[in-house]
Structure formats: structure tokens, C-alpha cells
Amino acid sequence: MKIDQKGDAGWIYRLTLENLSPADVPAMGDHLKRLCEFDRYSRFFSAMSDYGIDRYIAGFDWTRMVASGLYRDDTLIGIAELGWASTMDSANDASPYAAEMAVTVDADYRHRGIAAWLVKAVAIQGQRAGIRRMDASWIGGNDSIAKIMRQYDAQIWLNAAHWHGTASLV
């Protein structure tokens, strides 16, 4: 039996993919706070303290977002989010068109396909919510996000120091 980086056999059998809700916000904060300084910059495009993460998650508007998470036992080890803005004609637009995607995975679990799995799950949630286009931005060198966006046949371009991708979900 194969042993993972932490020495646990069969770690994959202890994973649970879930649609996240407000009840998962504390676990989401714990996950984001485990990210190192560089990973926080990669996710938020700026320096982000623990206090900043607390403020970020306190501002979640679950009427304009969907999220998928992967738990290993009781620890959230990855999150994919799709968030959208309200339209000018309705603050509570029930059928959004486009959403921004973000995904993070704990360092010990990267390069195992978890990010792609999470993005697929959140894209399905987004489609059910009426999302027809998924947008993403990432810094150069984040080949995992580029690869995921290419799996969705995204149009990808470089704008200043950041890469951007737009993919249809229909």
C-alpha cells in the first residue's frame, strides 16, 4: 500500500468532497490561514494577514457565491469558490452570467489533482446557479491553474503581471 507524505496509508479514503455553506466558514478560515505568505499572495494578489482573512470570510455573501471543499477527516484541505457581482438592474440577481473562480489546496496535498477536482465540483454548482462563464486570474508560474483553465478550453491572455482566463460553462 502506498504511503503519503505524512506517512498515513490510505489517506485518500478519508476524503470528503462537500458543497460548502456558512457552517463551513470557520474551517475555510483555518484552511486559508494555513497558506504561507507566497500562497496567500497567489490567492489574494496582495499580502494577507490572519486578520485580513478573518475580514475576507466575514464578508462572504452566500447569495452570490458557491463553494466546494475537500475535507480530510475534519480538516478542510482545499476550497474552490465561484463568486459573482450583482447586476445594475437587480441587487439580488437570481441568474448571474459570469463568476470569478479561486481555488486553494493545502501545501501537503498539491499536485494530486485535488484543485482540478474542486474546480469541477464548483463549476457544476455554478452551472446549477446559472453561471455560464468562469473567469480566473493567476500569477505567472501557477501552472496548475493555467492547466485547469485549459481543460475548460479557456481563452487565456497575459495582462501586465497576471494571467487571465475565461471559460464557457455551457
Side-chain angles (χ1 to χ4, degrees):
M1 182 176 264
K2 195 167 188 170
I3 308 254
D4 77 352
Q5 293 174 3
K6 293 190 171 204
D8 296 334
W11 68 274
I12 197 147
Y13 298 108
R14 297 178 8 224
L15 298 178
T16 307
L17 180 66
E18 295 187 11
N19 292 340
L20 301 180
S21 72
D24 296 291
V25 167
M28 294 171 81
D30 291 343
H31 163 72
L32 293 170
K33 289 175 185 177
R34 284 193 302 274
L35 298 175
C36 71
E37 185 177 329
F38 178 77
D39 292 339
R40 289 180 187 199
Y41 181 83
S42 296
R43 166 60 184 87
F44 297 105
F45 292 92
S46 69
M48 184 69 79
S49 66
D50 285 357
Y51 175 72
I53 289 172
D54 289 339
R55 289 184 55 209
Y56 169 74
I57 63 173
F60 282 166
D61 180 350
W62 289 91
T63 66
R64 290 188 284 208
M65 69 177 283
V66 291
S68 293
L70 188 66
Y71 281 90
R72 178 180 178 183
D73 300 325
D74 294 328
T75 302
L76 186 62
I77 63 168
I79 304 168
E81 307 166 43
L82 278 177
W84 57 90
S86 62
T87 61
M88 289 191 172
D89 60 342
S90 172
N92 294 312
D93 187 359
S95 57
Y97 175 78
E100 182 179 355
M101 183 272 292
V103 61
T104 54
V105 176
D106 281 359
D108 287 345
Y109 299 97
R110 293 190 188 143
H111 308 292
R112 300 178 186 205
I114 290 172
W117 189 19
L118 287 166
V119 170
K120 182 176 182 176
V122 83
I124 291 168
Q125 280 186 277
Q127 288 170 322
R128 289 180 182 145
I131 300 294
R132 295 183 296 279
R133 190 182 81 208
M134 177 172 68
D135 300 326
S137 299
W138 62 95
I139 63 172
N142 193 342
D143 299 332
S144 296
I145 297 301
K147 182 178 178 183
I148 289 167
M149 290 302 286
R150 283 188 191 100
Q151 289 172 347
Y152 286 88
D153 295 322
Q155 294 178 340
I156 296 174
W157 68 97
L158 179 63
N159 184 4
H162 299 101
W163 288 93
H164 301 277
T166 298
S168 174
L169 294 182
V170 292

